[in-house]
């Protein structure tokens, strides 16, 4: 049998070829090293950009949550202020009713109170609506800024 058809000879030749290619002194071609360095550099750049984008996103979320927290605090304070005004108005009515001299005066005091309260509730609803809009805008502002920065960066890249 010749060497190419003998399985044992072919296996020995394959092992020899493998050892020749995988020896410690086998030189890596310069073009392969240069390409590997470019790939590593490009990978590092992509990682750095991704890391920067992630850091920016985390900072945006922190600012958004901070704004939302401050908005919730302002909203709660507004609700408490409105409640205090309404309670004080109720006490004022009670004091006026306690000093009423007859039933006619009591009816007049209550009618005036309900008319005043209806106007106050309308005004208070507008205060809450305006504050809600302001809080929503403030909480969304960091995200809006981040999106704008991202679009600007894309324009610069292209």
């Amino acid at each position: 049998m010749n060497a190419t058809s003998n399985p044992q000879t072919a296996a020995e030749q394959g092992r020899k070829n493998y050892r020749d290619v995988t020896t410690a002194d086998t030189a890596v071609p310069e073009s392969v090293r240069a390409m590997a360095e470019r790939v590593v550099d490009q990978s590092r750049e992509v990682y750095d950009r991704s890391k920067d984008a992630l850091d920016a996103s985390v900072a945006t979320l922190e600012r958004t949550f901070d704004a939302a927290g401050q908005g919730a605090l302002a909203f709660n304070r507004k609700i408490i202020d409105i409640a205090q005004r309404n309670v004080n108005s109720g006490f004022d009515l009670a004091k006026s009713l306690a000093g009423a001299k007859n039933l006619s005066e009591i009816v007049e005091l209550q009618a005036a109170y309900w008319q005043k309260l209806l106007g106050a509730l309308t005004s208070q609803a507008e205060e809450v609506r305006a504050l809600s809009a302001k809080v929503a805008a403030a909480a969304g502002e960091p995200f809006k800024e981040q999106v704008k920065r991202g679009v600007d960066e894309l324009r610069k890249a292209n």
Side-chain angles (χ1 to χ4, degrees), residues 85-154:
R85 285 187 274 162
N86 291 343
V87 167
N88 288 336
S89 177
F91 280 129
D92 291 345
L93 171 66
K95 187 173 182 176
S96 297
L97 290 174
K101 294 182 176 63
N102 57 41
L103 183 60
S104 174
E105 193 176 340
I106 289 173
V107 170
E108 285 179 27
L109 287 171
Q110 281 206 310
Y113 170 77
W114 286 111
Q115 188 174 11
K116 179 181 173 186
L117 183 62
L118 185 59
L121 289 175
T122 302
S123 172
Q124 292 166 356
E126 177 56 29
E127 288 178 47
V128 170
R129 186 210 59 79
L131 181 59
S132 296
K134 182 179 176 182
V135 166
E141 190 60 32
F143 181 71
K144 183 179 170 184
E145 290 171 3
Q146 178 66 23
V147 169
K148 184 181 181 313
R149 276 193 302 273
V151 168
D152 291 344
E153 287 177 14
L154 283 175

Side-chain angles (χ1 to χ4, degrees), residues 1-14 17:
M1 278 190 183
N2 64 26
T4 58
S5 61
N6 183 343
Q8 190 171 9
T9 307
E12 288 175 12
Q13 183 62 42
N17 290 343

Side-chain angles (χ1 to χ4, degrees), residues 12 15 28 33 44-45 48 51 53 63 66 97 115-116 120 122 128 138 149:
E12 288 175 12
R15 282 191 289 275
V28 176
R33 283 196 313 255
R44 172 59 77 177
E45 289 174 15
D48 289 342
K51 182 181 170 293
R63 288 192 310 274
D66 185 46
L97 290 174
Q115 188 174 11
K116 179 181 173 186
T122 302
V128 170
R149 276 193 302 273

